[in-house]
Amino acid sequence: MTPLRLIETRPGSFSLLLDAGTTQVDGLVEELGHEPNGYFWEGAARFLVSTEAQGLDGRFSYDPEGGMFCAYGQDRAALEELGALLAAVAADGDRMRKLVTSAEAAGFDFDD
């Protein structure tokens, strides 16, 4: 799940974290006109959930900041699945390019 990490913040509560600016695709994200901050990654997560993993919808919440993406909740399996989706995009320039292109074509706003 690198560069993401899943931590248990208290018994039965989990946070999926990504430090902004630490992925292999940061330069590409900027080239595509976005800032690879926590808000961008929330947008990427929301778009992935809506297009590739609808079963995850509503199973966790988001709380990003400029320097970090965060999703949290009590459903560890859902956060693990989201982490796998995001890790794949964070490590693959072609996949990131397709995600941004598809999102923009659909009128999606990353809010970064």
Side-chain angles (χ1 to χ4, degrees):
M1 197 175 349
T2 304
L4 293 105
R5 61 192 185 283
L6 183 64
I7 60 171
E8 189 168 17
T9 56
R10 61 179 195 269
S13 294
F14 304 91
S15 290
L16 178 66
L17 306 171
L18 170 67
D19 294 321
T22 63
T23 75
Q24 296 175 15
V25 296
D26 290 340
L28 175 61
V29 170
E30 290 174 341
E31 179 185 311
L32 294 170
H34 295 280
E35 186 174 338
N37 60 27
Y39 302 107
F40 171 83
W41 284 103
E42 177 190 3
R46 287 184 184 277
F47 190 75
L48 285 168
V49 168
S50 71
T51 58
E52 297 183 24
Q54 296 88 358
L56 294 178
D57 191 34
R59 293 174 60 188
F60 45 78
S61 298
Y62 298 99
D63 187 21
E65 299 177 2
M68 182 186 340
F69 165 80
C70 176
Y72 66 94
Q74 296 180 339
D75 190 337
R76 181 184 181 110
L79 290 167
E80 287 174 342
E81 188 175 341
L82 177 64
L85 286 169
L86 287 172
V89 172
D92 184 337
D94 289 336
R95 185 134 190 238
M96 175 55 77
R97 186 178 301 279
K98 288 176 187 172
L99 181 142
V100 170
T101 301
S102 296
E104 289 176 348
F108 184 83
D109 182 12
F110 285 95
D111 196 27
D112 58 335

